[in-house]
Amino acid sequence: MTYVVNGRSFDEEPGPGQCLRTFLRSLGHTGVKKGCDAGDCGACTVWLDGAPVHSCITPAFRAENHEVTTIEGLGPPGQLHPMQRQFREAPGFQCGFCTAGMIMTSATFTETQKADLPRALKGNLCRCTGYRAIEDAVKGVTGVETAAPGKAVGTSVGAPAGDDVVTGRAEFTMDTDVEGLLHLKVVHSPHAHARIVSIDKTAALAVPGVHRVYTWEDVPRRRFSTAIHTDHLVDPDDTYILDDTVRFVGQRVAAVVADTVGAAEEGCRRVEVEYEELPAVFDPEAAMADGAPQLHSTDDPFVRDSVRNILLEIHSHIGDVDAGFAEADVIHEGTYSSPRVQHAHLETHGSIAWVENGRLNVRTSSQSPSIAKVKLAHLFALRPDQLRVFCKRVGGGFGGKQEVISEDLAALAALDTGRPVCFEYTREEEFTTASPRHPMKLTVRLGAKADGTLTAVQVRNVSNTGAYGNHGGETLYAGGAAIMIYRCPNKKFDGFSVYTNTVPSGALRGYGMTQPAFAVESAMDELARALHLDPLELRRRNIVRPGDPLVAMHDGPDDVMFNENGLGQCVDLVAHALARAVNEPPPGAGWLVGSGVASSLHETAPPTEHLSEAWVTLGDDLVYELAIGTVEFGEGTSTAHVQIAANQLGTTPSRIRLVQSDTDRTGFDTGAFASAGLFVAGNAVLRAANAVRDRILEFAATHTGVHVVMCSLGDGEVVCGDQHVPLAELVALARARGIRFTAARKAYGSPRSVVSNTQGFKIAVHQVTGEIRILYSVQATDAAVVINPAQVRGQVEGGVAQGIGFALTENYQVDAGGAMANPNLRNYRIPTYADVPRTELLLVKSADSFGPMGAKGMAECCINPVAPALANALHDATGVRYRALPLTPERIYSRLKENRSIRTA
């Protein structure tokens, strides 16, 4: 069979039933991505005779004798297609995993289609951008700027990988061709709780191409936690690579390694497992009751109370809440529920492992290769020098890749077989076995005097950590920031992180704060209405102010400083924005209109130890090499790091060569999560760049005989008084004397500051269908000194989009047996272009006391106030309070139908 791909002919025979996506990738066209293999996301879009198609649902044989164009053939570097240039210059991407498909679709648009992007882009999903940047790219709006030497900070320079992303050359985890690669697939438990009686591998091993079948008896019997933190003691070691007891539907039971994916999948189908089913419990309140089925044994040293299935229990108070409620004029109490939410990063989890020269190499989609290395060394009893873990570009994370969940099995098989092994999650496995956001039920009780002064705050939080603890404890602690935002002498917090027979929960953007923020900010809105106060005014009267102690669960000393009035400015900016926003009339008959606000505080680094080390070296080619362990997965830290280095070294970003996320080539880095990629790693880059600059200046001062204070580093030269000395001359002189201009510096996540956000919405709600339309969206944030304005805008827009999904569209449905009932993008429903409004971004003018160049990392926190602001707007429109998410049309309509006092449009 003959195929023409990007103008080149191939005489190849696809496999029976093979889709065009996998066939094209086998020919080396790795710009064609896998996001779903179901025709839902568009990451695999190519042209077939000039028309865009989803190659994952297009049989390969249908392309015979047709012209196929992939992103690589659309326009190579130096000859970019106009749409590729527009995506680079907007910039129209963050992680870049969806970008090839977006470009291939958008490059075919007529002017009519460009005018109706909600319809034209309905087949392409993006989880990062919030779509505004993509709209700008399609319409040719340019946002990328050129930075002058030493003036990179504050400029919207483009990403270092921009050209590679828009041409499909950027390497993601699976974009490599490894000779002799084996494929690993997993047998998953059909039961929520069961003991494995026996496993028969015979039939599986008889499948042609199958090499190994691993069970719990074949793996190291070492406990670990899949969660990633520098301080591993904050997470429970309650997990085995494979176990003889399964605790949720989807848990790994066995792993099959074969020559092909198909053979491995067939081997999985033929593994015979005998289970003894055990009683299961799915509700955390029921799990804490006497007599509930126990998930972990009573001798497990890592479980706080195994009899009651409690991983962690917190009871703390400040002042006397009983006295506070006694002096209150108004008391409000409500219970608020938030569901599981999946990260839905378009690149699924995956790892490729191989042994080379006696060393284990793991190429993985992790947010922290450094700690993944530590965990693998522990599991397989390896010395650090026997192991390398590294990442290429990662296709989204949002906390989902702050886990070690694919690396262990790939490493096990590579060490055993001596051959390279690939383990790549399917989209269904992402939904059923990866770690979603913790479902939480929070009861909030607030007391206030008639003037709105808070007298007591009490919160009870029951968090469902699922079958294993990974991030269960830390997310429970993190939720305290929801009550830290308000001044009150009497606070009480009771928290429970509870094991249930459901998929283990994990880290997701907002990290334990998103759910409590929904509860507390909804409760504050209800309290304001009970007091007959404007909700914004109630916040103004009670928010913490500069110099106030940030008190949540205790009043002891900590390392968090609150020195700026960012929160107050955010509240005021959103109030003014909502007041000046055009009051659009309802879209038609039957619509109700309302507005809502919510605020949030978030710490700029996690409370657990966070460390990053940066290396900067001036090479003989006069290019500065910046080596940093931080992974790039769309949060923009790579661009920010290059800008910081260029700024301090008096040069342009083009003269910074970035080496990153490779434990062989970079120093230790805790990981890119909790916005620490900017706040901590950015400080390491700043210090290393400053150290190299100072060394160059000291050498130049000695060489010229001019005092060092009279010397300055420029782009390609050092100016000492009235002498201009080329850098090339200084490098040659230094080299002759055995001197290198290089430095390593570390930074730690302490002391910490806080980021403030306020979100506002105006919405319309249809009282018959329950549909919500967002008429206006605004968020104010105190990002302090902005390193890259375009990236800050993109992070906020992306966070708001994810918050809208959390609040309105995403629905993780679990059946009576504990299994997810809708494990695909189409039925889970992350927001599409049509679901996301343009959000006005308002920046507070401030400078952070501890962040690099006065900047704050703020990508984590922008999601937190979104859901409560929408819920508050919904109440303002309908007069009905909704205390459970998501706010689906069915749920809205049913409550509106029950309520007889609805305002009419």
Side-chain angles (χ1 to χ4, degrees):
M1 301 175 74
T2 301
Y3 293 84
V4 179
V5 183
N6 299 331
R8 180 183 170 194
S9 294
F10 295 87
D11 292 323
E12 298 286 345
E13 187 79 21
Q18 185 173 19
C19 71
L20 183 58
R21 182 190 70 79
T22 58
F23 182 61
L24 291 170
R25 287 182 64 85
S26 72
L27 298 178
H29 303 288
T30 56
V32 185
K33 305 300 184 192
K34 181 196 91 170
C36 63
D37 275 343
D40 295 336
C41 75
C44 67
T45 303
V46 300
W47 291 354
L48 200 59
D49 290 337
V53 299
H54 289 180
S55 61
C56 69
I57 55 172
T58 302
F61 75 84
R62 289 190 180 171
E64 184 184 13
N65 297 321
H66 293 274
E67 289 201 10
V68 178
T69 306
T70 72
I71 189 69
E72 294 94 339
L74 186 64
Q79 302 177 29
L80 296 182
H81 184 280
M83 191 58 69
Q84 288 173 305
R85 284 199 301 272
Q86 289 170 209
F87 267 78
R88 183 189 64 188
E89 300 302 323
F93 63 90
Q94 285 181 25
C95 84
F97 198 80
C98 74
T99 305
M102 285 283 183
I103 291 173
M104 295 305 293
T105 299
S106 303
T108 65
F109 286 169
T110 64
E111 291 303 315
T112 300
Q113 288 173 304
K114 289 179 182 179
D116 188 11
L117 289 181
R119 178 179 294 274
L121 281 174
K122 65 180 181 180
N124 290 78
L125 297 178
C126 175
R127 191 57 156 168
C128 296
T129 64
Y131 297 102
R132 173 178 170 178
I134 291 169
E135 177 186 335
D136 286 349
V138 172
K139 295 184 176 180
V141 178
T142 297
V144 168
E145 301 171 326
T146 301
K151 303 292 184 183
V153 168
T155 305
S156 295
V157 302
D163 278 343
D164 289 342
V165 168
V166 302
T167 58
R169 296 189 307 164
E171 280 192 40
F172 291 83
T173 309
M174 295 298 160
D175 295 342
T176 185
D177 183 18
V178 181
E179 186 176 352
L181 185 67
L182 299 176
H183 298 269
L184 185 148
K185 285 293 178 180
V186 168
V187 177
H188 299 284
S189 169
H191 305 295
H193 199 192
R195 184 177 66 86
I196 296 173
V197 177
S198 65
I199 301 179
D200 188 346
K201 311 175 184 178
T202 308
L205 288 168
V207 173
V210 170
H211 292 263
R212 296 284 194 279
V213 177
Y214 300 110
T215 71
W216 69 273
E217 297 176 299
D218 304 309
V219 303
R221 196 69 176 166
R222 291 190 176 90
R223 293 180 187 266
F224 74 112
S225 172
T226 61
I228 282 176
H229 292 105
T230 299
D231 181 1
H232 69 93
L233 297 176
V234 302
D235 304 308
D237 291 340
D238 58 3
T239 305
Y240 291 107
I241 297 175
L242 294 169
D243 203 352
D244 60 347
T245 300
V246 292
R247 297 176 175 88
F248 69 96
V249 175
Q251 182 167 331
R252 306 187 311 198
V253 173
V256 177
V257 180
D259 289 327
T260 65
V261 171
E265 289 176 339
E266 181 60 23
C268 288
R269 286 189 283 268
R270 297 196 186 187
V271 173
E272 298 179 8
V273 185
E274 181 183 352
Y275 298 94
E276 176 192 350
E277 287 195 63
L278 301 172
V281 60
F282 307 117
D283 178 76
E285 295 279 10
M288 290 191 289
D290 292 339
Q294 295 180 35
L295 273 74
H296 295 272
S297 63
T298 55
D299 62 350
D300 190 331
F302 305 100
V303 181
R304 179 64 59 90
D305 185 349
S306 60
V307 175
R308 296 171 58 222
N309 294 307
I310 295 175
L311 165 66
L312 180 68
E313 189 171 345
I314 302 171
H315 300 286
S316 65
H317 72 276
I318 299 159
D320 185 339
V321 293
D322 291 335
F325 285 119
E327 65 174 304
D329 295 314
V330 173
I331 295 175
H332 164 74
E333 182 172 338
T335 297
Y336 306 83
S337 301
S338 56
R340 289 177 182 83
V341 176
Q342 232 289 326
H343 308 79
H345 34 66
L346 290 193
E347 180 199 44
T348 61
H349 285 84
S351 299
I352 301 172
W354 68 94
V355 177
E356 184 177 354
N357 298 324
R359 298 181 75 225
L360 175 65
N361 293 262
V362 181
R363 173 176 170 143
T364 184
S365 59
S366 173
Q367 289 178 228
S368 176
S370 292
I371 297 181
K373 175 179 176 176
V374 172
K375 289 185 179 287
L376 292 175
H378 161 71
L379 288 172
F380 300 108
L382 298 173
R383 299 189 312 271
D385 64 306
Q386 293 177 301
L387 177 60
R388 173 199 181 201
V389 179
F390 68 102
C391 303
K392 292 297 185 178
R393 196 172 181 89
V394 174
F398 317 114
K401 294 169 182 175
Q402 195 186 337
E403 307 266 357
V404 173
I405 58 175
S406 65
E407 296 87 350
D408 54 345
L409 282 177
L412 168 78
L415 288 167
D416 179 48
T417 65
R419 290 180 59 179
V421 177
C422 171
F423 178 25
E424 183 180 15
Y425 272 43
T426 64
R427 179 54 59 186
E428 182 173 337
E429 286 173 322
E430 285 291 332
F431 279 112
T432 58
T433 70
S435 302
R437 190 187 297 283
H438 292 74
M440 291 184 182
K441 183 172 75 172
L442 294 105
T443 299
V444 181
R445 192 172 187 227
L446 304 175
K449 294 181 178 179
D451 66 358
T453 303
L454 288 174
T455 61
V457 176
Q458 185 172 356
V459 174
R460 182 179 187 268
N461 184 0
V462 178
S463 174
N464 187 344
T465 196
Y468 296 95
N470 27 347
H471 292 272
E474 288 302 284
T475 52
L476 190 65
Y477 272 114
I483 59 176
M484 180 174 70
I485 190 172
Y486 296 113
R487 292 181 297 151
C488 182
N490 308 299
K491 295 181 179 181
K492 190 173 190 296
F493 181 89
D494 297 289
F496 305 85
S497 182
V498 187
Y499 287 112
T500 65
N501 292 112
T502 57
V503 59
S505 303
L508 207 163
R509 192 180 204 163
Y511 198 78
M513 252 295 291
T514 313
Q515 309 95 311
F518 166 65
V520 172
E521 291 300 293
S522 295
M524 283 292 288
D525 197 80
E526 294 192 68
L527 178 64
R529 295 177 189 280
L531 289 164
H532 305 291
L533 283 176
D534 178 84
L536 274 166
E537 182 57 31
L538 180 65
R539 287 173 172 81
R540 284 194 186 97
R541 296 182 185 185
N542 290 283
I543 55 174
V544 290
R545 293 175 172 82
D548 283 350
L550 295 176
V551 175
M553 299 182 187
H554 64 84
D555 55 4
D558 59 32
D559 64 344
V560 181
M561 306 296 291
F562 184 60
N563 298 324
E564 311 91 21
N565 188 27
L567 181 56
Q569 292 184 65
C570 286
V571 171
D572 289 342
L573 286 170
V574 167
H576 295 153
L578 289 172
R580 64 173 163 72
V582 176
N583 287 317
E584 296 185 27
W591 290 88
L592 308 172
V593 176
S595 62
V597 296
S599 294
S600 176
L601 278 185
H602 204 99
E603 296 158 355
T604 51
T608 52
E609 183 180 356
H610 206 103
L611 165 66
S612 183
E613 183 176 9
W615 305 340
V616 174
T617 302
L618 177 58
D620 292 342
D621 58 358
L622 304 185
V623 172
Y624 296 93
E625 181 173 279
L626 167 60
I628 186 76
T630 309
V631 180
E632 176 60 66
F633 55 92
E635 76 283 27
T637 53
S638 294
T639 312
H641 291 165
V642 166
Q643 287 180 260
I644 291 169
N647 206 81
Q648 301 309 100
L649 295 166
T651 189
T652 60
S654 63
R655 289 191 55 226
I656 307 293
R657 179 169 53 244
L658 187 63
V659 176
Q660 62 187 138
S661 56
D662 186 332
T663 61
D664 268 12
R665 302 182 63 193
T666 63
F668 185 90
D669 186 276
T670 295
F673 54 86
S675 292
L678 177 67
F679 189 78
V680 182
N683 265 327
V685 170
L686 177 69
R687 294 169 187 175
N690 285 345
V692 168
R693 178 200 61 199
D694 292 346
R695 289 187 180 186
I696 295 171
L697 294 179
E698 289 166 3
F699 186 87
T702 301
H703 173 63
T704 60
V706 175
H707 197 281
V708 69
V709 298
M710 301 296 293
C711 299
S712 61
L713 179 59
D715 192 28
E717 65 175 10
V718 176
V719 179
C720 293
D722 57 1
Q723 301 180 56
H724 292 249
V725 186
L727 264 184
E729 179 182 330
L730 292 174
V731 169
L733 287 169
R735 178 69 58 161
R737 299 178 192 176
I739 297 173
R740 295 181 66 211
F741 297 128
T742 185
R745 291 293 185 271
K746 297 176 182 178
Y748 300 85
S750 179
R752 299 175 291 151
S753 52
V754 295
V755 180
S756 310
N757 308 77
T758 299
Q759 174 72 40
F761 283 111
K762 287 192 174 184
I763 67 169
V765 187
H766 198 281
Q767 55 188 323
V768 175
T769 66
E771 178 190 354
I772 289 179
R773 292 188 186 177
I774 298 175
L775 306 176
Y776 177 62
S777 170
V778 59
Q779 183 168 129
T781 184
D782 67 332
V785 173
V786 174
I787 303 293
N788 188 303
Q791 287 190 164
V792 167
R793 188 196 78 175
Q795 290 299 314
V796 171
E797 290 167 352
V800 172
Q802 283 189 318
I804 289 171
F806 173 52
L808 302 184
T809 66
E810 299 179 41
N811 200 349
Y812 195 111
Q813 299 176 0
V814 179
D815 66 20
M820 188 188 186
N822 56 326
N824 55 70
L825 291 172
R826 183 168 303 182
N827 294 322
Y828 175 73
R829 200 148 149 26
I830 68 172
T832 67
Y833 178 96
D835 298 312
V836 181
R838 294 177 76 90
T839 293
E840 182 178 1
L841 171 61
L842 305 173
L843 294 173
V844 169
K845 294 182 179 180
S846 67
D848 189 66
S849 304
F850 311 112
M853 315 291 294
K856 295 180 182 181
M858 39 62 62
E860 182 91 7
C861 55
C862 45
I863 189 175
N864 293 335
V866 175
L870 277 169
N872 293 339
L874 180 59
H875 177 266
D876 186 53
T878 64
V880 178
R881 171 58 59 176
Y882 295 82
R883 294 176 179 167
L885 299 176
L887 304 172
T888 59
E890 298 85 357
R891 181 171 287 169
I892 293 171
Y893 166 71
S894 64
R895 292 284 310 283
L896 290 179
K897 185 179 180 182
E898 294 169 5
N899 190 279
R900 300 302 180 188
S901 59
I902 308 171
R903 299 195 306 270
T904 57

